[in-house]
Structures are given as C-alpha cells and as structure tokens.
C-alpha cells in the first residue's frame, strides 16, 4: 500500500508531525487536498510536495520550472514530436527520449492513464514523469507559447485527501455517485467489471447481484486508476491481484471499503465490499434466532471455556454473529482479544489484532501471544490450518472461551473438518461446545408481500404440511417501490445449532461418520436443522419458501 503523503514529507524532514496535523485540520475545514493545505500554510514548497508525490506514486520527477528558468533544455526535436494542440488539451510536455519511449511530463498522477490513449494519437511509445503544476504551465508557455490557463487536476485522494463534492471531474463524479448510491441502497458490494466493449457495474444487495449501469470501455482506465489511488493500490501494476482499503464519509456515516483487483481477459476487475460501521453491528436478539435457539446460544456463550464454532460460506454473516456474541460478553471485568483478517468493525473495549502474513503475524502466532495476555474470551477470525486449530483447542482446554469461524456446509461437518485438518478426535471431543451453521435469506417486504396458498409439491419441498400450517398465513414476494420491486427488503439469518452432549462427544471421540452424528443429534434434540429453522421463519411470515430452498440445498 502506498505511503501517505504526510508520512513521506515527515520522513524527508520537510515538515514535522505538528505541521501535518495543522494541515489536516485545514484540509478538513476547506475540503482541499493535503498538499494544497501544506502550501497554503507555507509549510512546504510546491516542488517539495510534488517530489514526494512522485515518490509515492513511483514516478520520476522532472523540474521543469528550473529548466525554463535556465532558458530551456528540452531539444527542438523532442518538442516537435508533440503538437501544441495535444499539449494544450492534455497538459503534457515531452521532455526526453528514453530507450525509444517518449517521456511526457504531467502534473497529476491520474493523468498517467491518459498515456494509453495518447499512444494511439501520437503513434509513439510513451512513459510518464511528474512535474509541478507551475513548472508545467511555465514549460507550456516557454516551448509552445501557450497562455497560462487553469487545469482540472484531481489530486484530492493522491495527496491524502477525500474526494470533495465540489470536484467537477467526470470520473470523480462517477465514482462519488457510484459509491453513494450503493451505500444509500444498502448494498454490500460494488463490482466493476470490464467486458468486451464496455464496463459493467453491478451491486450486490441482500445477497443478489444486479447490473445497475454500463459504460463505454474508454473510461475503464480512468475509472480503475481513480479507484486504485483511493484504495492505496499501485496504479502502475496491472498484471497481479491487489488488495486495498479506503474509508469514506457518505451521508454523514463512516463507510469502510475493502477493495480487491483481479486481472481478467478484458482488463482489471474490481470488487469493493462496503462495511457500514454504524449498521454493521447488531445485538444478539437482532440476529434472527428463534426464541428457543436464542436462549440456548446465550447459555453456550456464557460458559467459562470451550470452543464455539460458526460455519457457513463467505458472506453468510458469520462475523456479524460473532461480534454480537462478543458485545453480549463485553464487560469491564472480561478481557476479550480477537485475531482477525481483516478487522472489519472496531469494538470499543475489545483488543483487536490484525493478521499480517507479510511479517509472519499469522492467526497461530497471534493466538500464542494472546495466551500470555490472560484473556477470558478469544475470537479467531478463521481456522485455516492445523496449527491454528491446535492452538485454539489448547486455549479452550486451558480455561478460555474461544470463538472461531470455519468453512463447512453444515454444523456436524465441522467436527470431521477439524479431524481432516489433523486435529486428534479426542481433542475435538473435549473442546467443542457448540457449532452454528448459518445462511442469510432475504426478508419479505412488509409493504407488498402477498398472502398465498402454495402448491402441495412446493410445501413438500420444504417439509411443510397443511396440518402444521394450520391457520397461519404464508406469503410470497410481490415487489413495490419501497423494495425496488424485488419483493424483499433486508436479510435475516437461518441457523443450524448443534450443542454437544456426552453421547455426541463419545461419537466424536470415536470419529464416527457425520451422518451418524447428525441423526443422533436430531433424535436427542441437540440439533435443530437449517431447514427446520427456515420453516419456522416461513410460518412466521418473515421470508418465502423460495428463499429457504435457495439456501438449504435440499434435493
């Protein structure tokens, strides 16, 4: 991730931390880039700021202001390779030939993407270099006789600022609109996907992807460059996957965005996951547990030791469930530590540690360090390997309550998954207290849901009978303006909770097959199947049979 401009200038001795602090205050009040704030306060010169910016963006720096002051040293042959019209339109200056590539000076790192277009216009191989706005303006006047003019330069994010509402650059407006619309629509993801001849933008809302816009392919470069800079990615790297992160304020709310870039056949595809820090955290009672399951889960998380596993596919709400449990336990007399990759939401009063594989800070290493901190409760973001599983189990067996996530399709499979990872069956038997498998289903829109009597075959598909339905009313999705004509508004979880007893522990100790453990758990009342919880939510009018079938994988 690129180093922030303020940090670079401090490291170079140009400014100190106190001066950067004052500039950040001015930046916030005036909604201007950090570099502009430093210039306004007189803490740095234009050359110092742009040299640091060139280093941040990994671009060579050209001092055109000094060049013009010395009478100009760019040869006439180089100047002749770019017409005055192109120079004026794109605000670029040719400065040299490097190995057959024409070096063009620009005053905005975001303009480096325009070189792809200019290569076709000029029919030359081009490479960028950065110069100051003052230097570029002076060079345009000296070499081409062009009068000084204003330039539309977006350096807000590249210089450490936030995209301002008053910035009129088309790409800035597009990005601002794209993100704010997604946040206001309560979408969880934005997908920017280059296709043949176009760029497709899709939103994921309530777990379902839908195309919201399509753009001409020539905005692909500017759009992705802007998003990369905002996420702290390397805009020059287009061959490898990259991860980044940005924090924005939208409609007065702080939104954390995790971004991922993946090279594809038509260009780079970007996915941005939106994390609303205000809406993301829910209480235990808001998760969607049935009354009986809520009581059982509340009892489990108050046990002094053992492991509580939450399983399910990516995006099934596992982290939300675990955070709700931690919030329930978060008291001044309880020490809670978490190891996460990444830390999704900040929980006041809880010590959260970010996994950093690059420096060897893995889940297992963090866990070992945690045990020396005398915690009462530990959260492991994900059990990915044998080492992490064994350390988590040792923590559970030495008096700690451990929460963790695991990727399995259902609750009983979690026991076999741990054994497959290399954990001894007797350790699994002794340490696991409960396993919760969950899925997210869409909640029926209460404004437009329609009462209906399903066909008998549809009822049978989820195991419902007319006798069980009784006088209850079942509903299906219809669609209205309030729910964008989807018939659904929001989501809720369906759960499968397995709480181990002596008989189940004995079966786990003997490493018996998962189907046998499931049968025993259901017969003894220690497991409420996912489909059964779905039936209860259908009977309560919260969701539809179609949604339960979508997530239950029932054949």
């Amino acid at each position: 991730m690129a180093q922030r401009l303020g940090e670079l200038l401090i490291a170079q001795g140009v400014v100190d931390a106190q001066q950067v602090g004052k500039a950040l205050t001015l930046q916030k009040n005036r909604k201007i880039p950090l570099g502009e704030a430093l210039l306004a306060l007189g803490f740095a010169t234009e050359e110092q700021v742009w040299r640091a910016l060139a280093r941040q963006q990994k671009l060579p720096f050209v001092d055109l202001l000094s060049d013009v002051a010395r009478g100009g040293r760019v040869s006439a042959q180089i100047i002749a390779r770019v017409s005055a019209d192109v120079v004026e339109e794109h605000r670029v200056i040719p400065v040299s030939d490097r190995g057959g590539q024409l070096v063009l000076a620009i005053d905005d790192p975001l303009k480096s993407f325009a070189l792809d277009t200019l290569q076709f216009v000029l029919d030359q191989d081009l490479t960028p270099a950065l110069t100051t706005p003052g230097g570029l303006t002076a060079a345009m006047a000296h070499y081409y006789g062009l009068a000084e003019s204003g330039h539309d330069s977006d350096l807000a994010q590249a210089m450490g600022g936030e995209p301002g509402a008053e910035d009129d650059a088309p790409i800035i407006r597009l990005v601002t609109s794209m993100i704010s619309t997604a946040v206001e629509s309560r979408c969880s993801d934005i997908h920017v996907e280059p296709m043949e001849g176009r760029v497709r933008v899709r939103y994921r809302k309530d777990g379902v992807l839908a195309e919201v816009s399509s753009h001409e392919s020539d905005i692909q470069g500017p759009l992705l460059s802007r998003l990369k800079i905002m996420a702290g990615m390397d805009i020059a790297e287009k061959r490898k996957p990259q991860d980044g992160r940005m924090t924005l304020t939208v409609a007065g709310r702080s939104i954390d965005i995790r971004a991922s870039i993946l090279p594809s056949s038509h260009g780079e595809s970007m996915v941005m996951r939106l994390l609303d820090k205000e809406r993301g955290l829910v209480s235990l009672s808001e998760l969607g547990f049935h009354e009986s399951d809520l009581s059982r889960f509340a009892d489990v998380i108050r046990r002094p030791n053992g492991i509580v596993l939450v399983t399910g596919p990516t995006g099934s709400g596992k982290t939300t469930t675990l955070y709700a449990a931690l919030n329930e336990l978060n008291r001044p007399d309880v020490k809670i530590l978490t190891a996460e990759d990444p830390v999704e939401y900040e929980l006041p009063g809880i010590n959260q540690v970010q996994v950093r594989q690059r420096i060897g800070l893995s889940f297992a290493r963090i866990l070992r360090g945690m045990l020396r901190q005398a915690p009462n409760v530990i959260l492991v973001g994900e059990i990915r390997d044998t080492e992490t599983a064994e350390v988590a189990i040792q923590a559970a067996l030495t008096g700690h309550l451990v929460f963790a996530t695991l990727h399995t399709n259902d609750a009983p499979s979690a026991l076999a998954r741990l054994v497959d990872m290399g954990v001894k069956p007797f350790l699994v038997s002794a340490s696991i207290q409960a396993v919760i498998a969950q899925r997210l289903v869409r909640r029926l829109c209460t404004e437009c849901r329609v009462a209906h009597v399903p066909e008998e075959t549809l009822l049978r598909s989820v195991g419902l009978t007319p006798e069980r339905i009784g006088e209850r009313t079942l509903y299906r999705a219809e669609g209205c303006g309030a729910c964008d004509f989807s018939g659904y508004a929001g989501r809720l979880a369906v759960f499968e909770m397995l709480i181990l007893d002596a008989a189940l522990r004995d079966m786990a100790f003997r490493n018996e097959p998962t189907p046998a453990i499931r049968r025993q758990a259901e017969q003894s009342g220690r497991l409420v199947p996912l489909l059964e919880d779905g039936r209860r939510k259908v009977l309560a009018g919260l969701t539809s049979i179609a949604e339960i079938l979508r997530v239950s994988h029932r054949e």
Side-chain angles (χ1 to χ4, degrees):
M1 185 175 290
Q3 193 175 2
R4 290 184 179 276
L5 182 67
E7 294 172 353
L8 276 171
L9 290 168
I10 291 172
Q12 293 171 3
V14 175
V15 294
D16 57 34
Q18 186 177 9
Q19 290 173 322
V20 171
K22 290 180 180 178
L24 286 170
T25 302
L26 181 64
Q27 174 198 14
K28 185 177 180 181
N29 291 338
R30 292 191 186 176
K31 296 182 179 179
I32 59 176
L34 177 60
E36 190 175 324
L38 288 166
L39 293 177
L41 292 169
F43 294 154
T45 65
E46 190 176 65
E47 181 182 345
Q48 289 171 327
V49 171
W50 258 257
R51 281 188 182 275
L53 189 59
R55 183 176 175 184
Q56 181 194 45
Q57 302 300 325
K58 298 181 175 62
L59 292 172
F61 180 82
V62 180
D63 189 356
L64 284 180
L65 201 59
S66 297
D67 173 70
V68 171
R70 296 188 182 101
R73 293 184 295 178
V74 181
S75 69
Q77 290 85 355
I78 294 294
I79 293 298
R81 290 170 68 173
V82 182
S83 69
D85 290 341
V86 171
V87 168
E88 185 173 32
E89 180 182 352
H90 296 279
R91 276 190 64 86
V92 295
I93 288 286
V95 293
S96 65
D97 188 300
R98 185 186 300 160
Q101 288 187 318
L102 182 64
V103 180
L104 288 186
I106 55 177
D107 63 351
D108 178 353
L110 279 179
K111 286 183 182 175
S112 59
F113 60 72
L115 267 58
D116 293 337
T117 303
L118 278 176
Q119 284 193 154
F120 292 101
V121 173
L122 300 174
D123 193 24
Q124 300 180 61
D125 290 332
L126 307 175
T127 187
L130 196 64
T131 190
T132 62
L136 188 66
T137 300
M140 289 170 64
H142 178 79
Y143 291 113
Y144 291 90
L146 297 171
E148 190 170 318
S149 61
H151 60 286
D152 183 14
S153 170
D154 171 41
L155 291 174
Q157 191 62 32
M159 295 173 62
E162 297 293 337
E166 43 199 27
D167 199 327
D168 291 329
I171 292 297
I172 309 304
R173 292 201 304 271
L174 173 60
V175 170
T176 302
S177 172
M178 185 168 65
I179 294 175
S180 60
T181 301
V183 171
E184 289 164 8
S185 303
R186 304 190 69 160
C187 298
S188 60
D189 302 277
I190 301 172
H191 295 245
V192 180
E193 302 162 319
M195 314 293 287
E196 187 174 1
R198 68 187 182 108
V199 177
R200 178 176 69 178
V201 177
R202 294 193 289 175
Y203 292 166
R204 188 187 299 278
K205 182 177 180 180
D206 295 336
V208 178
L209 272 172
E211 183 172 336
V212 293
S213 61
S214 182
H215 305 282
E216 296 293 328
S217 58
D218 49 356
I219 77 154
Q220 178 180 329
L223 177 60
L224 287 173
S225 292
R226 169 66 182 176
L227 292 171
K228 278 184 177 182
I229 287 176
M230 292 174 67
M233 297 179 182
D234 183 356
I235 61 172
E237 179 56 72
K238 299 181 180 180
R239 301 165 300 170
K240 300 176 183 177
Q242 293 189 70
D243 293 312
R245 195 165 188 164
M246 63 186 98
T247 300
L248 306 174
T249 300
V250 181
R253 299 201 309 277
S254 179
I255 306 297
D256 197 24
I257 302 177
R258 281 162 39 197
S260 171
I261 279 274
L262 183 68
S264 64
S265 56
H266 295 291
E268 293 176 292
S269 172
M270 175 176 269
V271 176
M272 292 173 284
R273 186 175 183 192
L274 311 180
L275 301 171
D276 190 331
K277 295 181 179 180
E278 294 181 16
R279 291 176 175 170
L281 299 176
V282 299
S283 66
L284 213 57
S285 59
E286 295 174 312
L287 288 174
F289 278 114
H290 187 267
E291 290 178 9
S292 60
D293 285 344
L294 179 60
S295 175
R296 295 165 69 210
F297 185 58
D299 288 341
V300 167
I301 66 173
R302 286 182 172 82
R303 295 182 183 181
N305 56 62
I307 295 182
V308 177
L309 292 174
V310 180
T311 77
T314 302
S316 59
K318 300 187 296 294
T319 302
T320 301
T321 297
L322 289 173
Y323 277 6
L326 293 184
N327 270 334
E328 189 75 12
L329 299 173
N330 191 12
R331 302 188 308 271
D333 61 330
V334 177
K335 172 86 168 182
I336 302 176
L337 296 173
T338 76
E340 304 172 66
D341 185 20
V343 174
E344 293 196 7
Y345 300 103
E346 293 183 7
L347 304 171
I350 293 176
N351 300 277
Q352 297 171 268
V353 183
Q354 168 81 48
V355 170
R356 300 186 188 278
Q357 297 289 354
R358 289 183 181 177
I359 61 171
L361 197 60
S362 62
F363 278 116
R365 189 168 181 181
I366 294 171
L367 266 174
R368 289 195 180 92
M370 283 180 172
L371 297 179
R372 293 191 288 273
Q373 296 274 310
N376 302 103
V377 180
I378 294 172
L379 170 83
V380 184
E382 184 182 343
I383 294 179
R384 296 176 179 173
D385 52 46
T386 306
E387 187 182 13
T388 306
E390 288 179 342
V391 178
I393 286 174
Q394 290 301 326
L397 295 176
T398 53
H400 304 87
L401 181 61
V402 179
F403 293 96
T405 69
L406 192 67
H407 283 284
T408 61
N409 286 328
D410 58 14
S413 296
L415 307 178
R417 174 75 180 120
L418 289 173
V419 174
D420 289 342
M421 291 173 71
V423 180
K424 300 292 189 294
F426 77 89
L427 291 176
V428 174
S429 169
S431 61
I432 303 298
Q433 296 287 352
V435 184
I436 299 167
Q438 66 181 70
R439 301 288 189 278
L440 292 178
V441 295
R442 291 180 293 173
R443 189 188 293 267
L444 282 167
C445 174
T446 55
E447 299 290 326
C448 65
R449 64 180 184 177
V450 176
H452 80 129
V453 179
E455 298 176 1
E456 188 177 342
T457 54
L458 188 60
L459 290 175
R460 280 203 308 269
S461 67
V462 291
L464 283 174
T465 62
E467 291 75 25
R468 182 169 181 186
I469 296 171
E471 299 299 317
R472 296 184 184 90
T473 302
L474 302 188
Y475 297 90
R476 64 172 174 82
E478 178 69 15
C480 66
C483 61
D484 293 332
F485 299 95
S486 68
Y488 298 94
R491 288 190 289 179
L492 72 157
V494 288
F495 299 95
E496 177 173 272
M497 188 183 305
L498 170 66
I499 299 179
L500 274 68
D501 60 8
L504 292 171
R505 291 187 191 282
D506 186 54
M507 295 179 75
F509 179 82
R510 297 196 304 271
N511 197 21
E512 294 200 15
T514 298
I517 293 177
R518 172 175 281 279
R519 282 194 300 272
Q520 171 61 28
E522 290 185 16
Q523 290 168 7
S524 63
R526 309 298 290 186
L527 173 70
V528 177
L530 194 76
L531 189 58
E532 170 58 23
D533 192 44
R535 285 192 287 261
R536 294 188 300 204
K537 289 177 168 65
V538 168
L539 293 173
L542 297 174
T543 191
S544 64
I545 292 177
E547 277 295 287
I548 300 304
L549 289 173
R550 182 174 66 86
V551 302
S552 65
H553 307 294
R554 185 179 175 89
E555 295 180 356

